[in-house]
Amino acid sequence: MAKPHRIRLPGENRLLTALPREECDRIFPQLEKVSLNLKDILYEANRPITHVFFPLGGVVSLVLIMESGLAVEVGTIGNEGMVGTPVFLGADRSPTGAICQVPGEALRMEAKLFQEEMRRGGPLQSLVQRSTQAMINQISQSTVCNHLHSVEQRMCCWLLMSHDRVGADEFPLTQEFLAQILGVRRPTVTAVAGVLQKNGLISCHRGRMTILHRKGLEAASCECYRVVNKELDRLLG
């Protein structure tokens, strides 16, 4: 029998809660709690990254800005990971930017302090390394998903991942943003959301999304949601 998936409560970050107590006592004084509001920019594309972030709730999108000005989402991060992977990989900037799409809170650390922690080695470095692999897995799975699965399946998958990260049944989410992340026109999102709402799975009203029937969403989603979470559990425990 499959193990039930745990929805983590707001205020937890999976990497930080996995640290031994002595590591927490040493590292936490270097962290600052900040609020992430809708459309807040955590770092800009091709600009120096000054901080890394450990989300406690909400959803952060990694986006590429095309020459036309169109922003395309290439990945999402929530309380399972860290925003600022380029710093971990030794870079001070990236062609992708990081933007808050669902509000929440995060703990942030100056990039130079984070780099010092990585040079120390130890539990945090190991967790960030495995989290980076989980992010690569997510982006790879998303590429396959975008090619093979329907808009309805992909929307269900994204809503489930957001539900996990937010830790609440209701959260702010506009159909305009859903259209952007799914790479489709807004009328398509409106039509698909209408089907899900008619089936009693969700409710959307005035920029708010409510998950009404999680099991139904899981049944309507593609395999990608299960694959990504299985890998995340394998890598982070």
Side-chain angles (χ1 to χ4, degrees):
M1 181 179 295
K3 183 173 67 173
H5 183 64
R6 178 188 172 197
I7 299 176
R8 294 172 187 272
L9 297 175
E12 290 185 356
N13 177 276
R14 192 163 183 173
L15 301 185
L16 299 180
T17 56
L19 289 173
R21 178 59 182 270
E22 59 272 18
E23 284 293 293
C24 290
D25 291 343
R26 186 178 60 78
I27 291 171
F28 270 55
Q30 303 177 64
L31 300 171
E32 175 190 11
K33 181 179 280 191
V34 294
S35 294
L36 302 179
N37 300 308
L38 182 65
K39 301 299 181 183
D40 276 356
I41 298 174
L42 283 66
Y43 61 81
E44 295 184 68
N46 302 310
R47 299 290 298 273
I49 301 173
T50 60
H51 294 82
V52 300
F53 296 79
F54 299 90
L56 304 176
V59 179
V60 176
S61 287
L62 302 180
V63 297
L64 279 171
I65 310 296
M66 309 304 290
E67 289 183 355
S68 65
L70 178 67
V72 180
E73 183 185 78
V74 296
T76 57
I77 303 170
N79 58 2
E80 82 288 348
M82 183 196 80
V83 180
T85 300
V87 177
F88 171 67
L89 296 175
D92 69 342
R93 64 196 67 199
S94 169
T96 61
I99 303 174
C100 178
Q101 299 291 14
V102 178
E105 291 186 319
L107 295 173
R108 74 177 182 183
M109 176 186 286
E110 291 183 19
K112 61 181 181 180
L113 295 178
F114 175 77
Q115 289 169 329
E116 290 173 7
E117 285 296 331
M118 294 303 97
R119 286 192 286 269
R120 285 176 61 98
L124 182 59
Q125 184 203 41
S126 176
L127 285 164
V128 172
Q129 189 174 41
R130 283 178 276 153
S131 174
T132 300
Q133 180 60 51
M135 170 57 66
I136 293 171
N137 294 345
Q138 180 206 132
I139 293 172
S140 301
Q141 193 71 35
S142 177
T143 301
V144 174
C145 188
N146 291 340
H147 281 84
L148 299 181
H149 298 142
S150 69
V151 175
E152 180 176 333
Q153 289 174 314
R154 290 162 51 208
M155 185 185 295
C156 290
C157 181
W158 199 92
L159 290 174
L160 287 165
M161 292 174 66
S162 298
H163 191 213
D164 292 345
R165 290 159 169 167
V166 174
D169 291 338
E170 182 179 321
F171 47 91
L173 184 66
T174 65
Q175 292 190 6
E176 179 182 3
F177 169 58
L178 269 175
Q180 176 186 322
I181 63 175
L182 295 173
V184 298
R185 295 172 60 84
R186 181 171 175 176
T188 301
V189 167
T190 301
V192 173
V195 171
L196 297 179
Q197 190 159 267
K198 182 179 179 180
N199 291 337
L201 306 184
I202 64 171
S203 172
C204 7
H205 183 65
R206 296 184 181 275
R208 305 287 300 181
M209 176 67 65
T210 304
I211 306 299
L212 299 176
H213 190 345
R214 183 180 171 90
K215 290 294 185 182
L217 271 183
E218 291 176 355
S221 177
C222 54
E223 66 199 69
C224 297
Y225 173 73
R226 296 186 297 276
V227 170
V228 168
N229 273 302
K230 183 177 178 181
E231 277 296 287
L232 190 62
D233 289 341
R234 181 181 70 84
L235 288 164
L236 299 183

